[in-house]
Amino acid sequence: MVAETNSRPHRPKLGALLHSEAMIFPRQEDDNNCNSHSAMNPRLYCNNHSTTPIPTGELSPNFSSPWNQPSPYAQSPWIIPSPVNGKFTNYGLIGSIVREEGHVYSLAASGDLLYTGSDSKNIRVWKNLKEFTGFKSNSGLVKAIVIHGNKIFTGHQDGKIRIWKISSKNTRVYKQIGSLPTFKDYIKSSVNPKNYVEVRRHHNVLRIKHFDAVSCLSLNEDAGLLYSGSWDKTLKVWRVSDYKCLESVHAHEDAINSVAAGFHSLVFTGSADGTVKAWKRELQGRGTKHFLVQTLLKQESAVTALAVNEGGAVLYCGSSNGLVNFWEHEKHLSQGGILRGHKVAVLCLATAGNLVFSGSADKSICLWRREVGGVHTCLTVHTGHSGPVKCLAVEEDNESDDNGNERWILYSGSLDKSVKVWRVSDNPTELSVYESPRVRYYSSVYPESQQGTPSRLK
């Protein structure tokens, strides 16, 4: 189940993995009750126990300036409409959105709105699986999206963090109101030589500005802080109220792939250098500063994803070797075990309640449930994407099922240019129809003597 490696991976190798060629198809399945086998075929439509081929339809036409006009929902050939709410009560795949304009690199969900970012520089907004509106950046692949009230923060390949605001008069209108750092702070900092750092010989850059791709964003709403991680190896801390850069930390020796604001004033960073680090915000003088408190993992494989279960005080880490490590916090952080559900790189993670979702370059999504005592059970494996699963987002379902079980809507974005929508629950009886020979994996819990030790591939 574990892919072996003999040498430390570098960012170019990981980049090659993320940009692997994906299958392009004009239509996706609209699935009311599809099992994992039929979901693998994008040209089959499953209705209970029968399958009939769907019409091919037209490929999405090229159209100009879609951001200045309402989207024609019903006429759009980009969408496979399948309402999330209504009479549909089954679990599993409930709808698909096909994006012909580029690979899906980032997702964010807020209420009934879904935001998708791709390498086309566009951020599209969807409502009930129908195109609602969208907005476009000047440049830079959209690698991360964070929502804060009526503001949207997006991280880009060109090293910029852009800020967008929803119009109070028209919720379909999004306007860019700035970028990080702000122009005022950039000019103010540029006049002081002490604000520059050397990034390579004879080349200095401002400390408050990322000079390489912004790969990840994470928000600490209680503290009003936005964290950004970059391929320039730095972690930057921004105050949301005035967009000021409070800190710039040289956090790793290689690209930062993931950042996650956590519990107990901790923030976690994962890097292509194979390490996961925990930083804590502490008072210093008139303000606060982040200090390194613990290096949780040091391995040869690149760290590709992080996710936090704040309620259970658990940190999850996905790596290019296909493993998901996790740590639990009681009096201190200690390693709880490893989830073994993928043979190749884990590219994204998400949590909801006691559930953990892992998306992989193997095109599948494992759904794990954390049991009492920290043991994790893989309830099911969702398949259907024809390319690596690059990003995940999850929102609580508005309605519980007939048995009162809590449910969630899971969104998965892929390099196959599509987003799939799943209804999930932590009740295994509801998910049993989606079981395959791959389910029922368990985490391997370390003996007490091995807690806190780094995990290395043999």
Side-chain angles (χ1 to χ4, degrees):
M1 293 288 300
V2 180
E4 295 185 359
T5 181
N6 296 321
S7 60
R8 167 177 281 189
H10 297 285
R11 175 156 55 91
K13 294 182 180 179
L14 181 60
L17 169 65
L18 299 184
H19 289 85
S20 59
E21 183 178 358
M23 183 184 299
I24 301 175
F25 46 88
R27 296 294 301 268
Q28 289 281 354
E29 69 275 23
D30 177 23
D31 192 334
N32 282 351
N33 191 14
C34 283
N35 58 32
S36 60
H37 300 289
S38 60
M40 289 295 289
N41 187 345
R43 298 189 57 78
L44 290 183
Y45 168 79
C46 296
N47 183 6
N48 293 330
H49 299 288
S50 64
T51 60
T52 57
I54 63 172
T56 301
E58 296 179 351
L59 286 174
S60 177
N62 294 326
F63 50 93
S64 60
S65 302
W67 314 120
N68 299 323
Q69 56 188 342
S71 301
Y73 303 166
Q75 289 77 20
S76 175
W78 291 44
I79 307 166
I80 311 299
S82 179
V84 174
N85 296 318
K87 296 182 179 180
F88 189 95
T89 58
N90 292 327
Y91 291 80
L93 184 66
I94 60 176
S96 298
I97 302 171
V98 180
R99 297 175 52 93
E100 295 295 340
E101 60 181 356
H103 304 314
V104 181
Y105 281 92
S106 53
L107 293 174
S110 177
D112 57 356
L113 296 180
L114 173 68
Y115 297 79
T116 59
S118 73
D119 52 8
S120 68
K121 309 171 189 176
N122 299 329
I123 300 97
R124 291 189 179 272
V125 187
W126 309 85
K127 187 173 184 178
N128 294 328
L129 297 185
K130 296 179 180 179
E131 187 180 354
F132 182 67
T133 186
F135 45 101
K136 185 175 184 178
S137 64
N138 295 328
S139 62
L141 178 155
V142 185
K143 298 185 71 68
I145 304 174
V146 164
I147 304 169
H148 179 60
N150 65 342
K151 295 184 178 68
I152 315 296
F153 297 89
T154 54
H156 297 260
Q157 182 81 26
D158 62 5
K160 291 185 178 180
I161 302 170
R162 293 176 170 85
I163 312 168
W164 313 82
K165 187 175 181 180
I166 307 173
S167 171
S168 58
K169 297 181 180 180
N170 186 351
T171 56
R172 293 180 183 274
V173 177
Y174 288 73
K175 181 180 179 181
Q176 184 176 347
I177 60 174
S179 60
L180 302 180
T182 63
F183 181 73
K184 178 181 178 181
D185 287 343
Y186 183 88
I187 297 300
K188 184 178 179 180
S189 298
S190 63
V191 299
N192 188 345
K194 293 183 179 180
N195 291 329
Y196 288 82
V197 293
E198 186 176 19
V199 295
R200 56 181 178 269
R201 190 177 182 183
H202 305 309
H203 183 64
N204 297 331
V205 298
L206 275 177
R207 186 186 304 272
I208 65 172
K209 184 179 185 300
H210 286 298
F211 65 89
D212 207 338
V214 177
S215 56
C216 47
L217 297 171
S218 185
L219 184 68
N220 184 332
E221 295 197 49
D222 293 337
L225 299 176
L226 176 71
Y227 296 95
S228 61
S230 169
W231 287 356
D232 65 13
K233 311 173 188 178
T234 67
L235 168 70
K236 298 192 189 301
V237 186
W238 311 86
R239 189 163 56 205
V240 174
S241 59
D242 59 3
Y243 310 129
K244 184 177 181 180
C245 182
L246 302 179
E247 284 184 74
S248 178
V249 182
H250 185 88
H252 291 272
E253 299 306 313
D254 206 337
I256 296 177
N257 290 325
S258 188
V259 60
F263 36 82
H264 308 311
S265 299
L266 293 171
V267 60
F268 306 97
T269 54
S271 168
D273 65 12
T275 63
V276 176
K277 295 183 179 181
W279 310 80
K280 188 167 186 178
R281 189 178 77 257
E282 296 180 354
L283 291 173
Q284 186 182 63
R286 296 181 180 179
T288 60
K289 186 176 180 180
H290 288 75
F291 295 90
L292 177 64
V293 294
Q294 195 174 354
T295 298
L296 299 172
L297 185 65
K298 189 174 182 180
Q299 63 180 13
E300 293 180 353
S301 298
V303 175
T304 50
L306 296 174
V308 170
N309 178 335
E310 293 196 31
V314 183
L315 169 69
Y316 296 91
C317 157
S319 301
S320 62
N321 58 15
L323 302 180
V324 177
N325 287 266
F326 67 94
W327 294 262
E328 299 167 327
H329 189 281
E330 293 181 358
K331 294 182 179 180
H332 61 276
L333 280 165
S334 59
Q335 189 157 19
I338 301 176
L339 310 182
R340 305 174 186 270
H342 304 281
K343 292 185 177 181
V344 293
V346 174
L347 303 181
C348 49
L349 294 168
T351 64
N354 290 323
L355 298 180
V356 186
F357 311 93
S358 58
S360 170
D362 65 11
K363 310 173 188 178
S364 73
I365 306 161
C366 287
L367 191 160
W368 309 86
R369 183 180 63 192
R370 183 171 181 264
E371 313 285 358
V372 177
V375 174
H376 289 66
T377 303
C378 184
L379 299 179
T380 191
V381 178
H382 290 309
T383 58
H385 281 294
S386 62
V389 180
K390 184 63 182 66
C391 47
L392 296 170
V394 61
E395 275 286 296
E396 188 173 358
D397 199 352
N398 293 328
E399 300 178 5
S400 61
D401 61 15
D402 295 337
N403 298 322
N405 296 314
E406 193 172 14
R407 310 188 300 188
W408 290 269
I409 301 299
L410 174 68
Y411 303 94
S412 58
S414 169
L415 301 190
D416 64 11
K417 304 183 181 181
S418 77
V419 175
K420 293 189 181 296
V421 187
W422 318 79
R423 179 176 281 115
V424 298
S425 169
D426 59 2
N427 187 338
T429 59
E430 301 291 347
L431 294 167
S432 59
V433 295
Y434 299 98
E435 288 189 358
S436 73
R438 295 187 60 194
V439 305
R440 303 302 299 172
Y441 290 124
Y442 290 84
S443 65
S444 57
V445 180
Y446 284 114
E448 187 173 349
S449 61
Q450 295 184 8
Q451 288 185 0
T453 59
S455 172
R456 292 185 176 273
L457 294 178
K458 301 298 184 181

